[in-house]
Amino acid sequence: MLRSLGQRPVTGIDEDPRVAELCTAVSRLRRQLAALPADFPDRAIAEDELAALAAMAAGGVPEIPRLRASLLLIAGAIGSMSALARGLSQVRAAVDLFGEPPRA
């Protein structure tokens, strides 16, 4: 049942809590975006990047620069839509759990 909804069962011990938090936040924002009746020009970009974040999280510990790039694209696509502000903040907090990318 969970797999049909695009969610994975909780496996427990082996899962990185940062990845679990990212999965939860991304899933929540995806549901909020899907429930939003308003259409806006960059909706497809937000949906695509949320799908990319979900895929990265499903693959284990994601690359920090790619996480941050997706977050910026999502924030830019959503803009100032107040209905999605809380969900976006939760995704940002989850991305921040991974820390800063290493400086070159």
Side-chain angles (χ1 to χ4, degrees):
M1 175 72 175
L2 288 176
R3 290 194 190 280
S4 68
L5 296 174
Q7 298 176 348
R8 298 185 342 231
V10 177
T11 57
I13 301 170
D14 294 351
E15 190 169 19
D16 184 332
R18 300 173 304 170
V19 173
E21 185 66 28
L22 181 62
C23 287
T24 300
V26 167
S27 178
R28 186 175 297 126
L29 184 55
R30 288 177 89 180
R31 285 191 310 270
Q32 291 171 350
L33 183 58
L36 192 67
D39 199 19
F40 52 96
D42 293 332
R43 184 181 192 125
I45 293 170
E47 290 169 344
D48 288 348
E49 288 303 317
L50 283 167
L53 279 179
M56 282 187 269
V61 178
E63 296 177 29
I64 296 169
R66 180 68 177 106
L67 280 178
R68 295 200 175 280
S70 286
L71 179 62
L72 286 173
L73 286 169
I74 293 165
I78 290 174
S80 61
M81 300 201 65
S82 61
L84 302 174
R86 184 165 188 234
L88 181 59
S89 293
Q90 291 170 340
V91 170
R92 180 177 181 241
V95 168
D96 286 346
L97 293 174
F98 290 90
E100 291 294 320
R103 304 253 185 230

